[in-house]
Amino acid sequence: MDDNEDDGYECISYSASSQSCTTWALHRAILVEPRETPTMEQAITFIDTLYESGVPFFTKHAIRELSDQIQTQTTAGSKIIIKDLTGASLEWKVKVGQPPWLGTGGKEFIYKEVGIDYRAKVDLKSHLDREEVDDSVYVPMGLMHRVFQVDSSSENKEIIYDATIEEREVVDQDFRKKLLAWEESETCKNFKSTLSSFASGHDINKIIGLACGSLALPNNDGAASQTALLVTLRSWLKERDQDKNVSCYIQDPMNSPVDKEVLADVGFEMVDDPRGWLELDECSVVLSVAPNVPVKEIIADIARPAILIWYRVDDDEEEMTDPNSARVRAMMEGYDLHELGPDETWSDVVMYIRKSEVAPIPSQDGTF
């Protein structure tokens, strides 16, 4: 089949926030060595059994291996090998620079980059409810192309963003204003008091914000609130551990070059997926509010951070992008919950501080 054709096209996925929308095209991977296709019942049983046995669906090794391939296999026609939960290898074709198979309405779109599609257990099973069983049935980390509209008249086909990105000076002034308002709030004072009372003995040298949103896009109150909290956390840590270096990272596909500059001014490095996962460890604080990837499930498999700031974990395991799975709920037994309120912005978000100052050590098979 010609490389310009969208063989294996599966669907269009939208990573949305209150600010903007990132478009991804998903393509199926093909098994390198063919096998007998399982029935839907067999596939569901296998996924459930493997999950209940404690085998991690996500590991740093697998994430790093996939990331290394994405960094090197960048041209159209290159092939990336994905491992599924059975250990089988699947082949995925890179289409960067090619036009996607979707209605353009006279506009020009192309695949600009490759991203990782993280699939929690509930995602793997819900996909089976909608589609026929295919080769990717046991793939927790698939691949996808990011789709951008481009300027046909420009020499390098410059990206046309679907929302206005503010100038750096405007973004910086707006964020500084919102940061000051946050620092004067009762919620901020309560946040720092809780840290001093319950996390003073935890070894912390990293702060990681995942899917916090862009400061440079309109309607950025959520992004500004989350970033302001992280800046306060950084200041608290630097005051507590004056001689210790604190590495601070923000990872979100919506971030722009303007975000990179503004974040750098307050001590944060903007990183691309999957750098945030690879930096994450037992000495980290993680903030992630309403992400479009299964953050909780991934963290439950790869680490036990010192502090987790996200939506309250309950028994509800409905189909959602960041499910409260049984594995996540089991992880939270090792944490104490602390409310962030009374600010309405944080009414549904809580802080979990690990009960033990000494981080748990995973077993040889990677389970905790």
Side-chain angles (χ1 to χ4, degrees):
M1 181 175 286
D2 190 290
D3 279 344
N4 287 320
E5 295 181 39
D6 266 304
D7 52 304
Y9 175 81
E10 184 175 346
C11 67
I12 291 292
S13 172
Y14 298 98
S15 176
S17 76
S18 60
Q19 304 165 282
S20 185
C21 183
T22 305
T23 306
W24 300 90
L26 279 64
H27 294 79
R28 294 187 179 97
I30 306 299
L31 280 164
V32 174
E33 295 290 338
R35 68 182 172 204
E36 183 177 347
T37 302
T39 65
M40 183 182 298
E41 292 74 17
Q42 289 172 331
I44 290 174
T45 298
F46 177 83
I47 292 169
D48 283 339
T49 301
L50 196 68
Y51 187 84
E52 291 164 8
S53 73
V55 172
F57 281 30
F58 305 97
T59 67
K60 279 192 177 183
H61 174 77
I63 294 172
R64 184 178 292 107
E65 189 176 67
L66 197 50
S67 176
D68 288 345
Q69 289 190 76
I70 291 173
Q71 298 303 316
T72 57
Q73 305 299 323
T74 59
T75 57
S78 298
K79 295 175 181 178
I80 294 176
I81 301 299
I82 307 169
K83 294 281 189 179
D84 73 6
L85 294 172
T86 71
S89 296
L90 293 90
E91 186 177 272
W92 189 88
K93 188 181 294 184
V94 176
K95 297 177 179 293
V96 170
Q98 296 179 356
W101 183 60
L102 55 99
T104 61
K107 301 175 182 178
E108 184 176 0
F109 295 82
I110 63 172
Y111 298 132
K112 272 284 194 179
E113 59 190 61
V114 175
I116 300 176
D117 177 30
Y118 300 95
R119 304 169 184 173
K121 183 195 72 168
V122 67
D123 297 319
L124 294 175
K125 292 177 63 177
S126 64
H127 181 76
L128 285 169
D129 291 338
R130 298 189 299 267
E131 306 285 345
E132 295 181 0
V133 179
D134 60 36
D135 289 345
S136 300
V137 60
Y138 300 134
V139 176
M141 289 191 297
L143 291 169
M144 53 189 179
H145 291 98
R146 190 169 182 180
V147 181
F148 282 104
Q149 182 184 351
V150 293
D151 182 357
S152 304
S153 63
S154 64
E155 182 178 350
N156 297 318
K157 294 190 181 296
E158 299 294 332
I159 294 172
I160 299 175
Y161 291 95
D162 62 353
T164 301
I165 296 177
E166 303 288 355
E167 296 292 333
R168 180 190 171 178
E169 291 75 15
V170 174
V171 177
D172 185 68
Q173 291 176 13
D174 179 65
F175 177 62
R176 296 285 178 178
K177 180 180 178 181
K178 290 175 179 176
L179 175 60
L180 180 60
W182 154 254
E183 290 175 337
E184 293 176 346
S185 71
E186 286 301 314
T187 301
C188 180
K189 295 173 184 176
N190 179 66
F191 174 60
K192 291 190 288 186
S193 176
T194 301
L195 288 171
S196 297
S197 299
F198 299 98
S200 60
H202 287 66
D203 184 12
I204 300 171
N205 56 30
K206 290 180 186 175
I207 300 173
I208 302 172
L210 300 168
C212 294
S214 170
L215 297 171
L217 291 174
N219 305 314
N220 69 353
D221 287 351
S225 296
Q226 294 176 48
T227 306
L229 182 147
L230 293 175
V231 170
T232 295
L233 175 59
R234 178 178 182 271
S235 298
W236 178 83
L237 276 173
K238 292 188 76 67
E239 182 177 342
R240 188 194 75 169
D241 307 320
Q242 296 183 12
D243 297 327
K244 181 182 290 186
N245 179 54
V246 180
S247 300
C248 303
Y249 306 101
I250 295 279
Q251 176 179 295
D252 191 306
M254 292 189 184
N255 284 340
S256 68
V258 172
D259 288 287
K260 183 176 183 178
E261 294 181 6
V262 174
L263 289 170
D265 286 345
V266 290
F268 279 78
E269 179 183 355
M270 189 179 85
V271 297
D272 294 326
D273 180 67
R275 173 84 179 277
W277 307 118
L278 300 178
E279 293 287 350
L280 196 150
D281 59 19
E282 284 65 39
C283 296
S284 301
V285 177
V286 180
L287 179 145
S288 183
V289 179
N292 278 295
V293 293
V295 169
K296 294 173 184 172
E297 191 87 313
I298 295 170
I299 292 177
D301 275 354
I302 66 176
R304 291 295 180 270
I307 300 176
L308 298 164
I309 304 171
W310 55 28
Y311 276 135
R312 189 185 313 270
V313 175
D314 54 29
D315 293 336
D316 184 11
E317 193 182 355
E318 296 296 323
E319 182 181 340
M320 58 180 72
T321 56
D322 192 22
N324 297 320
S325 67
R327 197 171 287 183
V328 170
R329 297 196 300 272
M331 173 178 69
M332 302 321 299
E333 293 177 4
Y335 290 79
D336 287 320
L337 183 154
H338 301 272
E339 301 286 349
L340 281 178
D343 190 331
E344 185 176 338
T345 302
W346 299 101
S347 60
D348 295 325
V349 182
V350 295
M351 176 163 56
Y352 290 95
I353 300 177
R354 199 178 59 227
K355 293 177 180 178
S356 172
E357 293 181 357
V358 179
I361 300 174
S363 60
Q364 284 189 326
D365 63 1
T367 59
F368 286 89

